[in-house]
Amino acid sequence: MAVTLEEAPWLGWILVKALMRFAFMVANNLVAISSYICYVIILQPLRLLDSKRFWYIEGIMYKWLLGMVASWGWYAGYTVMEWGDDIKAVSQDEAVMLVNHQATGDVCTLMMCLQDKGLVVAQMMWLMDHIFKYTNFGIVSLIHGDFFIRQGKSHRDQQLLLLKKHLENNYRSRDRKWIVLFPEGGFLRKRRETSQAFAKKNNLPFLTHVTLPRIGATNVILNALVARQENGRPAGGDADAKELESPKGLQWIIDTTIAYPKAEPIDIQTWILGYRRPTVTHVHYRIFPIKDVPLETDGLSDWLYQRFIEKEELLSHFYETGAFPPPKGRQEAASREMTLSNMWIFLIQSFAFLSGYMWYNVIQYFYHCLF
């Protein structure tokens, strides 16, 4: 496609801006991630003395790191509009987010829209493809306790056993409350054809905007974290006393649907370089009490399939009208613009660069003392 004389200055500015953003992102990663690692190392004695306080501090730093990633999109004009249930109401409870997956930008979108939900991001555990372990953020996720899952039939059973063990060892010991899961097991464009063939073979609905979810990881999470309940209370004995003495367990499933205008998802390269025009990503939430979710495999499969059929309907309506449909019994759907505080972004970025400068001088001092 030829570039006209009128477009040349605009394209030149886009290129210069992209290079400047990339340079800032590299510097931001170097100082922020290095400082995070240094703080975690220096705080190891606290981990031995007061593990809960250590993971609280680590979680706050983790939230700040994700806030920095969110800021890259925020200043490029990639904002979020939220629809459906208000998830702030359950931000202090244990919950699982089931999210449709279209591109790498989905993760960045969640990093942004969850920043104003209290300590959710600090106490969150992500389930992500193992390839992310080898990215610049991989070391942070490993320290925080996120789980990297390897895709493919040959790895499936082993990965589910590893996930169960990981939850037992890391979820409550690190005071985690939310888990983010992409049940489709991959990007829409990569899995759609296979999913549609599977649906045709098994007489399941033909989906276009999402794919049929995989059940394994969801099943493991629910069985590992849900406190067995009767009529909404922990089973057996004095219910009120047990509620005070023992953790409530997983309480909510948050069905999360991400929609991009014209079905054009944002990838991580766009998020970093900012060469796409400002875009509003739309995120729809629906909260389900865990007592309404079947835990046996067959019932859970049907329930999860139904959620993704509803996602298909939500996305079809959005792509036709530019808005999500209203809840049953209402005339209009209400939306909420998610915002980030520019002052808060400035403070955490300043802290990152000042910390980087401090650790550089500390390391340089000890290097000169030794050599």
Side-chain angles (χ1 to χ4, degrees):
M1 181 173 158
V3 178
T4 64
L5 191 62
E6 291 78 11
E7 292 174 326
W10 178 76
L11 289 174
W13 165 240
I14 291 295
L15 178 61
V16 170
K17 186 173 70 170
L19 291 172
M20 291 171 62
R21 286 176 58 88
F22 181 75
F24 177 80
M25 184 275 295
V26 171
N28 200 185
N29 270 284
L30 284 173
V31 297
I33 294 176
S34 300
S35 296
Y36 167 86
I37 294 170
C38 289
Y39 281 123
V40 167
I41 292 172
I42 208 73
L43 287 171
Q44 286 305 303
L46 178 62
R47 183 179 180 180
L48 297 174
L49 296 171
D50 190 343
S51 176
K52 186 173 182 179
R53 190 176 299 275
F54 170 83
W55 288 115
Y56 173 82
I57 295 171
E58 183 279 332
I60 295 297
M61 293 191 295
Y62 184 83
K63 173 182 168 71
W64 292 349
L65 286 174
L66 268 59
M68 293 175 203
V69 176
S71 73
W72 304 341
W74 177 255
Y75 286 121
Y78 306 146
T79 57
V80 173
M81 189 72 71
E82 297 180 306
W83 303 73
D85 294 334
D86 183 4
I87 62 174
K88 283 184 180 179
V90 299
S91 62
Q92 296 184 16
D93 299 331
E94 291 187 25
V96 173
M97 295 190 81
L98 303 177
V99 191
N100 62 313
H101 208 11
Q102 301 175 67
T104 48
D106 298 342
V107 175
C108 301
T109 295
L110 291 174
M111 288 180 179
M112 176 183 286
C113 63
L114 296 177
Q115 284 293 327
D116 66 344
K117 308 300 187 293
L119 290 177
V120 161
V121 176
Q123 297 176 303
M124 179 176 284
M125 178 182 289
W126 297 74
L127 266 66
M128 60 188 80
D129 192 278
H130 79 287
I131 196 67
F132 285 101
K133 185 189 296 186
Y134 308 106
T135 65
N136 59 315
F137 212 78
I139 183 64
V140 174
S141 291
L142 281 170
I143 294 171
H144 183 71
D146 297 328
F147 184 77
F148 299 95
I149 192 164
R150 187 181 293 271
Q151 304 295 340
K153 291 183 179 179
S154 60
H155 303 289
R156 190 168 300 162
D157 292 340
Q158 181 194 30
Q159 291 297 299
L160 294 178
L161 288 173
L162 290 173
L163 172 59
K164 182 176 183 294
K165 185 177 180 181
H166 183 83
L167 292 171
E168 291 171 350
N169 293 336
N170 298 290
Y171 183 76
R172 292 208 166 90
S173 67
R174 301 188 182 195
D175 197 27
R176 300 293 171 247
K177 288 187 178 292
W178 281 32
I179 295 181
V180 179
L181 173 64
F182 298 94
E184 291 165 293
F187 298 140
L188 173 64
R189 68 180 186 277
K190 293 183 177 181
R191 290 209 62 242
R192 180 160 38 200
E193 186 176 341
T194 304
S195 174
Q196 290 173 346
F198 178 83
K200 184 177 181 180
K201 182 179 179 181
N202 293 275
N203 197 30
L204 293 168
F206 187 88
L207 305 177
T208 302
H209 305 305
V210 294
T211 66
L212 290 170
R214 293 171 176 173
I215 310 302
T218 308
N219 193 21
V220 168
I221 291 169
L222 296 188
N223 280 282
L225 302 181
V226 172
R228 300 296 172 170
Q229 298 180 355
E230 294 176 358
N231 300 321
R233 293 179 180 270
D238 186 339
D240 291 332
K242 283 185 176 291
E243 278 185 296
L244 293 172
E245 294 171 4
S246 60
K248 295 180 180 179
L250 205 61
Q251 297 170 72
W252 311 99
I253 299 288
I254 303 173
D255 186 33
T256 306
T257 305
I258 299 176
Y260 298 94
K262 300 180 182 179
E264 297 176 350
I266 299 174
D267 54 29
I268 187 65
Q269 298 94 320
T270 307
W271 193 269
I272 292 170
L273 300 177
Y275 51 77
R276 182 168 164 177
R277 294 183 185 277
T279 302
V280 180
T281 302
H282 298 257
V283 182
H284 184 278
Y285 307 110
R286 190 177 176 195
I287 302 174
F288 293 88
I290 200 68
K291 64 184 179 61
D292 295 340
V293 181
L295 298 182
E296 68 280 3
T297 303
D298 291 340
L300 179 60
S301 297
D302 294 340
W303 186 88
L304 203 55
Y305 281 156
Q306 187 58 40
R307 300 289 74 75
F308 276 77
I309 292 169
E310 290 175 2
K311 285 181 184 291
E312 177 79 9
E313 295 169 354
L314 284 171
L315 290 169
S316 295
H317 189 280
F318 178 85
Y319 295 139
E320 289 173 7
T321 66
F324 284 112
K328 291 182 180 179
R330 294 187 184 180
Q331 295 288 330
E332 295 182 358
S335 61
R336 306 173 297 276
E337 184 179 4
M338 186 272 158
T339 60
L340 289 178
S341 166
N342 291 322
M343 178 56 69
W344 178 74
I345 292 172
F346 173 77
L347 290 174
I348 61 173
Q349 291 284 13
S350 298
F351 179 77
F353 281 96
L354 289 172
S355 293
Y357 179 74
M358 178 192 74
W359 287 116
Y360 171 78
N361 282 283
V362 169
I363 293 170
Q364 187 181 48
Y365 173 79
F366 282 107
Y367 176 83
H368 287 305
C369 288
L370 293 172
F371 304 103

